[in-house]
Amino acid sequence: MTEPLWQKSATRIDAKIMRFLAGDDVILDREFFLHDIAASRAHVDGLANIGVVTPNERDAIARELDSLAEDFRSGQFVLDERYEDSHSAIETRLTERLGDAGRRVHTGRSRNDQVLVATRLWLKENLARLQTHCRDIARVCLDRAEIEALPLPGYTHLQRAVVSSTAMWFAGFAESFIDDARRARDTLAWIDVNPLGTAAGYGVNLKLDREYTTRALGFARMQVNPVAAQLSRGKFEIAVLDAFASALLDLRRLAWDLSLFTTAEFGFVTLPDEFTTGSSIMPNKRNPDVVELLRASFASVAAARTEIEQLLSLPSGYQRDLQFSKGSIFHGVRHGLMALELVPDLLARMTWNADAMRAAIEPQMYATDVAIEQAVAGVPFRDAYRVAAEAAASAGRGRAAEQSLAARVSPGAHADLRLDELRKRLDLLSA
Ligand code: ARG
């Protein structure tokens, strides 16, 4: 490793301790390296605005930062053990290439606000991705809800309850993923504040142009107080993971449905071939592994959240413990996105097996319809309920699932799904 930026004295640097301090930073920091470069550029431009670096120095640094970004993208530059972290790598490169101008970039900045701003930009980018995936999933669900209305048994307690439909099932997940997209959007708006310029957490004796860096980096607002900026590290990561958890929780339940519905016992759904795998020993098997891993992805997000929550038992101000929040947030978000990305295609191409679904609908499932019909005809509901319970099977005989569904007129239910309203909400999110 090159000498740490903070090395001042002749104290020997112990390799094992350095490795422990740096942790996986050079690997992890690759995630937000480009954001770190972009924020460095904004910082230097801001310094030029207040006369701390000359226009020439600013331009030279900007060019060098561009070339570093380019080299990183092409693989020419690798962020590796030569450096302590991405922040050191940037300064080292600028200093190697530009001498004193490079040595000026860190004026009025600390790695504490540097890591905050790079992470913040990364979080925003990934919340935008989350929102897009949720919208894509909702759109497929709405599209299918509009064109398919097959009777599907509706379960409570995993026991046959009342007749439902594929349209109601799809519309239900559409609305849920619209909620999730909205939560991603709202969370993005919530964390859209610029911590750059808060330095180590207590400001600096320079009139930094924080309004400029806020605008240049595309933030909605400045995070005003330096102490507040440090308090938001970890707290904002948790908010982001909560937004992911919301979507992945819906996905977990969707995946559960699919893994049940594809069993021979249910047989309601056939998955697209690409979404199933074979067994290494049982030639007869097609397994829904993808669906199972979709279901499992919630665990990564929940674990990441827990790790950060545990880390945050801290006094105010920067504490090195916070460094460990990077691994968890990157891991949780990566798993979440990898899972959600697959869902639109899966949902667009899975097929319903109408006969198996119909065969699982039994006359008892019309008992609620019967009781409510009688209640409407004047029998007090509790009496109608008892009569229908005793004669559940016979009362329902001769009824058809379609008839039950056509009468399900309560707003939101099968006969009044209000897909237009859901579509409107979805479109509003895309605007
Ligand atoms: N790798 C560090 C982190 O993620 C960067 C900030 C280091 N700051 C410090 N004062 N040692 O927290």
Side-chain angles (χ1 to χ4, degrees), residues 60-236:
I61 292 170
R63 267 196 304 279
E64 205 43 57
L65 286 171
D66 280 349
S67 102
L68 177 57
E70 196 34 55
D71 290 350
F72 176 70
R73 279 198 207 92
S74 70
Q76 288 263 96
F77 176 88
V78 181
L79 185 58
D80 57 22
E81 313 68 45
R82 287 173 296 164
Y83 309 100
E84 190 183 355
D85 52 26
S86 68
H87 323 305
S88 320
I90 292 173
E91 187 169 330
T92 304
R93 162 95 164 212
L94 292 174
T95 303
E96 274 166 13
R97 303 269 175 108
L98 304 171
D100 279 353
R103 270 187 280 274
R104 276 194 229 288
V105 293
H106 213 55
T107 315
R109 175 170 79 164
S110 155
R111 281 185 296 167
N112 299 354
D113 64 335
Q114 194 174 353
V115 66
L116 263 177
V117 69
T119 308
R120 189 79 35 97
L121 292 167
W122 184 92
L123 291 173
K124 283 179 57 179
E125 182 178 275
N126 285 291
L127 280 173
R129 290 197 179 116
L130 171 64
Q131 207 196 322
T132 305
H133 289 322
C134 291
R135 277 197 268 116
D136 290 347
I137 296 170
R139 196 165 302 114
V140 173
C141 289
L142 273 184
D143 289 349
R144 288 199 68 167
E146 265 160 16
I147 54 171
E148 287 163 89
L150 301 166
L152 169 74
Y155 297 87
T156 69
H157 313 267
L158 271 181
Q159 310 290 318
R160 289 174 184 169
V162 290
V163 181
S164 180
S165 70
T166 55
M168 201 142 82
W169 188 87
F170 268 126
F173 281 104
E175 184 166 350
S176 302
F177 279 99
I178 290 170
D179 287 346
D180 299 330
R182 177 164 179 174
R183 183 156 187 191
R185 189 196 62 179
D186 292 350
T187 305
L188 201 162
W190 194 63
I191 68 159
D192 199 1
V193 284
N194 177 24
L196 181 62
T198 56
Y202 301 97
V204 284
N205 47 345
L206 263 182
K207 266 198 169 308
L208 292 172
D209 195 350
R210 298 197 62 205
E211 278 82 9
Y212 168 79
T213 60
T214 300
R215 254 181 292 120
L217 291 170
F219 283 107
R221 309 177 300 284
M222 186 200 292
Q223 197 162 23
V224 178
N225 184 291
V227 177
Q230 284 304 321
L231 288 173
S232 67
R233 191 164 179 201
K235 181 174 93 171
F236 280 14

Side-chain angles (χ1 to χ4, degrees), residues 322-343:
L322 292 165
Q323 174 167 289
F324 279 174
S325 64
K326 285 190 299 194
S328 357
I329 185 79
F330 294 161
H331 179 77
V333 165
R334 189 165 54 88
H335 267 261
L337 291 174
M338 258 167 38
L340 291 164
E341 190 182 13
L342 298 180
V343 182

Side-chain angles (χ1 to χ4, degrees), residues 18 227 319 329 405:
M18 263 318 287
V227 177
Q319 320 293 334
I329 185 79
L405 290 172

